[in-house]
């Protein structure tokens, strides 16, 4: 181990182990030593028996067991919910090499996880919004433990302490909060247990990376349980090099902690307090350079590999977020009542060289965005005769502050400072009821009314170099000069859902649904004097089948859908190089997605095979005012207005698939060996409505080999991701300054050792 790795080990792993040891000592003193005859991992076994919301998967030898999900805000079997859902446990995610939200697409058909300036922007079935600006929310929502993560940059985090992930396709705006037009990703973390137990892992990977995690849970007092999860990674060496500044780029360093305290408030009530904090430094998705074969303004082309650049400002992406939440659950007669209160704070400091060349064409240095949110939800579940119902109220508040100095040596009018803020208030009332017509036939209907108000304030002032007026600090634009009814907007919308489902048997169910999704209108803090874009609406028609076949050894879930999408919100790069929001007119999306899980009979050990695919046809039905760009021979692009009607929608690959196998083999010495491999394929997609910039097809292959010691407490693993080192981009941008891209990760590999107690 080299000197830099040793320093990283001291900085990262030793504090991690120390904090784990301190927590372990405290909890062990409160609860007593663990029973060595019952060694367990991080609480999965106990909670699977105690908590009906935990996925319960039977051993392979006895077929597939139920996975219990909360897609309809109550605990139900995955196979009984009339929604297209991918539900993956933490163990399956780890074996597939999915360690953060950016890599979820590997195991989820129809999901694109684009990385934009250190933010994750999910697209489900082609529905999403490249919303890197503060205060805007995506068309596909991200929730953690029932709390909406509305800031795109907040959606980049490791999947440590995760119990499971539920990916719901199609509009979910009836029962879930805001802007779940394309669907939502719901990340459910572990709840604390009264039994003292835990685990830790440390590992090392290429690019001089050290990583580690720890989890511990136990009882603090009668009726009080707590847990603590910590995670950290430190990548010393970047994937590439900035040849102009002679520094590494494309690196990731972060530390995160999450804790819950669950308190029993009597026999029928529980309060759970949660706290989390994370700090990340990464320029992944932010550092870019001209695409291969393209020239930026000034005639400068790419240098080195796709992982290199020659930008004139140092790469920087610093994300800090923290939050506190309170969930109270209690039973009142036949009613199950839940309230969720949550406050979140997210801050991003970043540098951006949009052209990735030594020439200062357009750059933002020391950009700052701070977003505070508060949400409150009341949820009631109950039954009246053959009717099961859910109803609730939801309130959401957001304040997004943005400040960015923009500088250019090429376009003098780009030397400006943007200072703006946007306030959002949202109120919703919703309800859904399921009528059990017979034991096999169910009818479901739901309504939600949402009222949103947004107000923007901001000024654009000149920086040195701006041609007129002379001198810095002069006001170029201000919302004070905009009519009040333009800078203060409100929208109201009724969304709905109707479903019929029928069970042919306990193992075969079919369903058909119709639903409407709504994404609120919004201002752009990067262009505060521009009018707000109109709300999106999406009408979805879907039918599917869910079946467990051949003695529950084969699970087959298939869905077909048709979307009518109106007023699509799109992001483009304006004349001054900043993101600008526009409405495309209409789009039409249709397709099929399917998932198959098979427990294969083998003489020795357990073998599980998984396969999934998504076929998508997404196009702009009408988009006459699209912004097109034509490359200039001397570099850069010339903008024009074109008609994108009939063009393929952005981020909408025609075909994606994932195939994996997971095999475990008991050894003669009492230990267990395991091997997992996952192959994800994407046949390519367009980055722009013009259909000029296309990401070619690519393959991602991940693999892992494990050995579990006979005591089932120690485990070692060796892993590799992107084994064949397939080169691709995770973000491509086009504008007047040229076509640029940010690369996805190259091949990474490493080893780790873990212990459960």
């Amino acid at each position: 181990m080299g000197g830099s790795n040793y320093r990283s080990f001291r900085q990262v792993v030793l504090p991690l182990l120390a904090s784990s040891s301190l927590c372990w000592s405290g909890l062990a003193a409160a609860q007593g030593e663990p029973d060595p005859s019952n060694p367990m991992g991080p609480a999965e076994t106990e909670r699977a028996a105690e908590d009906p919301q935990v996925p319960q998967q039977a051993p392979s030898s006895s077929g597939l067991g139920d996975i219990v999900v909360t897609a309809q805000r109550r605990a139900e079997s995955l196979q009984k919910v009339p929604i297209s859902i991918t539900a993956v446990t933490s163990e399956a995610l780890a074996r597939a090499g999915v360690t953060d939200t950016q890599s979820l697409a590997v195991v989820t058909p129809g999901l694109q996880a684009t990385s934009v300036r250190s933010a994750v922007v999910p697209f489900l079935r082609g529905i999403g919004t490249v919303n890197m600006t503060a205060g805007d929310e995506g068309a596909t929502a991200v929730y953690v433990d029932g709390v909406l993560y509305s800031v795109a940059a907040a959606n980049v985090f490791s999947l440590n302490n995760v119990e499971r992930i539920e990916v719901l396709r199609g509009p979910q705006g009836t029962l879930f909060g805001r802007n779940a037009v394309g669907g939502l990703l719901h990340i459910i973390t572990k709840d604390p247990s009264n039994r003292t137990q835990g685990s830790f892992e440390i590992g090392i990977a290429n690019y001089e990376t050290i990583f580690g995690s720890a989890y511990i849970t136990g009882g603090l007092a009668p009726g009080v349980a707590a847990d603590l999860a910590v995670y950290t990674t430190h990548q010393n060496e970047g994937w590439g090099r900035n040849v102009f500044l002679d520094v590494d780029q494309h690196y990731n360093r972060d530390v995160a902690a999450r804790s819950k305290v669950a308190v029993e408030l009597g026999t029928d009530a529980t309060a759970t307090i949660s706290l989390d904090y994370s700090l990340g430094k990464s320029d992944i998705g932010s550092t870019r350079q001209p695409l291969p074969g393209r020239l930026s303004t000034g005639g400068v082309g790419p240098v080195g590999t796709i992982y290199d650049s020659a930008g004139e400002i140092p790469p920087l992406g610093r994300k800090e977020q923290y939050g506190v939440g309170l969930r109270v659950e209690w039973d009142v007669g036949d009613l199950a009542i839940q309230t969720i209160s949550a406050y979140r704070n997210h801050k991003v400091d970043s540098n951006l060289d949009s052209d990735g060349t030594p020439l200062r064409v357009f750059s933002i240095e020391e950009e700052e965005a701070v977003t505070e949110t508060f949400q409150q939800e009341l949820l009631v579940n109950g039954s009246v005769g053959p009717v099961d119902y859910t109803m609730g109220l939801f309130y959401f508040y957001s304040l997004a502050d943005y400040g960015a100095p923009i500088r250019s040596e090429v376009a003098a009018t780009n030397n400006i400072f943007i200072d703006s803020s946007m306030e959002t208030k949202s109120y919703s009332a919703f309800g859904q009821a399921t009528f059990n017509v017979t034991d096999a036939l169910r009818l479901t209907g739901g309504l939600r009314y949402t009222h949103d108000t947004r107000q923007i304030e901001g000024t654009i002032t000149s920086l040195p170099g701006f041609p007129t007026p002379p001198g810095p600090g002069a006001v170029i634009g201000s919302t004070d000069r905009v009519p009040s009814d333009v800078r203060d907007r409100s929208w109201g919308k009724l969304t709905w859902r109707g479903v019929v489902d029928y069970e042919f048997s306990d193992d075969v169910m079919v369903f058909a649904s119709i639903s409407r999704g709504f994404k609120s209108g919004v201002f752009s803090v990067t262009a505060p004097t521009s009018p707000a874009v109109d709300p999106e609406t999406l009408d979805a028609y879907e039918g599917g089948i869910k079946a467990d076949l051949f003695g529950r050894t084969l699970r087959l879930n298939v869905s077909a859908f048709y979307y009518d999408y109106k007023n699509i919100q799109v992001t483009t790069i304006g004349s001054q190089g900043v993101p600008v929001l526009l409405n495309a007119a209409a789009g039409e999306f249709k397709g099929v997605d399917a998932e198959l899980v098979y427990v294969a009979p083998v003489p020795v050990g357990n073998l599980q095979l998984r396969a999934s695919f998504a076929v998508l046809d997404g196009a702009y039905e009408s988009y006459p005012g699209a912004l097109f760009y034509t490359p200039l021979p001397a570099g850069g692009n010339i903008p024009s207005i074109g008609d994108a009607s009939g063009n393929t929608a952005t981020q909408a690959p025609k075909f994606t698939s994932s195939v994996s196998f997971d095999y475990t083999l008991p050894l003669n010495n009492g230990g267990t060996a395991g091997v997992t491999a996952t192959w994800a394929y994407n046949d390519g997609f367009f980055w722009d409505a013009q259909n000029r910039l296309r990401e070619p097809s690519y393959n991602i292959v991940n693999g892992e080999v494990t050995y579990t010691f006979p005591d089932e407490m120690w485990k070692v693993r060796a892993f590799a991701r992107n084994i064949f080192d397939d080169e691709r981009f995770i973000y491509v941008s086009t504008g007047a300054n040229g076509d640029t891209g940010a690369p996805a990760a190259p091949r990474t590999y490493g080893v780790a050792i873990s212990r459960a107690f």
Side-chain angles (χ1 to χ4, degrees), residues 89-134:
T89 63
S90 58
E91 295 85 355
L93 289 167
R95 290 194 296 267
V98 179
T99 58
D100 54 38
T101 50
Q102 290 174 298
S103 52
L104 269 175
V106 170
V107 294
T108 308
L111 174 66
Q112 293 272 106
T114 299
S115 182
V116 185
R117 301 189 62 185
S118 302
V120 167
V121 181
F123 278 70
L124 265 175
R125 293 174 170 173
I127 308 301
T129 307
V130 182
N131 58 323
M132 74 285 287
T133 57

Side-chain angles (χ1 to χ4, degrees), residues 426-602:
S426 179
Y427 307 85
S428 300
F430 59 91
Q432 180 171 295
T434 298
F435 176 40
N436 298 279
V437 182
T438 68
D439 290 341
L441 178 64
R442 292 183 294 268
L443 301 176
T444 299
L447 291 172
R448 185 186 194 100
Y449 180 77
T450 301
H451 180 81
D452 284 357
T453 298
R454 296 198 196 254
Q455 183 177 21
I456 191 156
E457 296 180 355
T459 58
I460 302 174
T461 55
S462 61
L463 291 177
F466 191 88
T468 56
V475 176
I476 302 167
S478 173
T479 52
D480 292 339
R481 303 172 183 175
V482 176
S484 59
D485 59 346
V486 175
R487 64 176 186 265
D488 191 347
R489 295 288 307 276
S490 296
W491 301 272
K493 196 69 175 180
L494 183 69
T495 53
W496 36 262
R497 180 171 183 252
V499 189
V500 56
D501 65 270
Y502 184 81
E503 292 185 34
F504 288 99
S505 68
D506 287 342
D507 295 325
V508 179
M509 184 263 283
V510 296
F511 68 91
S513 67
I514 178 173
S515 57
R516 167 166 288 182
F518 160 73
K519 182 181 185 300
S520 176
V522 66
F523 295 98
S524 173
V525 293
T526 60
T529 58
S530 298
V533 293
D534 292 327
E536 297 180 345
T537 57
L538 186 148
D539 292 337
Y541 307 85
E542 184 166 354
I545 181 171
K546 296 187 174 186
D548 287 341
L549 307 172
F550 307 117
R552 297 175 69 87
T553 61
L554 176 67
R555 175 166 294 160
L556 178 64
N557 294 343
V558 183
S559 296
F561 63 92
Y562 173 83
Y563 291 166
D564 184 13
Y565 200 9
K566 303 293 186 184
N567 282 334
I568 305 171
Q569 296 174 7
V570 296
T571 302
T572 187
I573 304 300
S575 60
Q576 290 182 310
V578 297
V580 176
L581 291 171
L582 301 171
N583 283 111
E588 184 181 73
F589 295 74
K590 51 185 178 290
V592 176
D593 43 51
E595 294 186 84
L596 180 149
V597 183
Y598 178 51
V599 177
V602 291

Side-chain angles (χ1 to χ4, degrees), residues 573-575 626-632 636-642 690 735-737:
I573 304 300
S575 60
L627 191 58
F628 284 9
Y629 288 98
T630 302
L632 295 170
N637 296 320
I638 184 170
S640 62
I641 300 299
Q690 187 180 352
N737 299 322

Side-chain angles (χ1 to χ4, degrees), residues 152-233:
N155 298 333
V156 186
F157 49 82
S158 66
L159 297 178
N160 181 43
N161 189 33
V162 168
E163 190 72 67
R164 71 188 182 277
I165 292 180
E166 300 173 12
V167 181
L168 282 59
R169 302 178 188 86
Q172 305 297 323
T174 302
L175 290 181
F176 282 90
R178 299 177 48 75
N179 298 344
V181 178
L184 68 91
L185 281 61
H186 196 179
I187 298 161
I188 295 95
T189 65
K190 298 173 183 175
D191 282 330
S193 166
N194 284 308
R195 180 177 298 171
T196 302
Q197 52 200 289
S199 64
F200 70 84
E201 180 182 70
I202 57 174
I204 187 169
N206 59 333
Y207 296 103
E208 297 188 4
T209 302
I210 299 289
F211 61 91
S213 63
Y215 178 79
I216 189 165
T217 183
L220 297 179
V224 181
D227 68 4
L228 173 65
V230 293
Y231 170 84
T232 186
T233 184

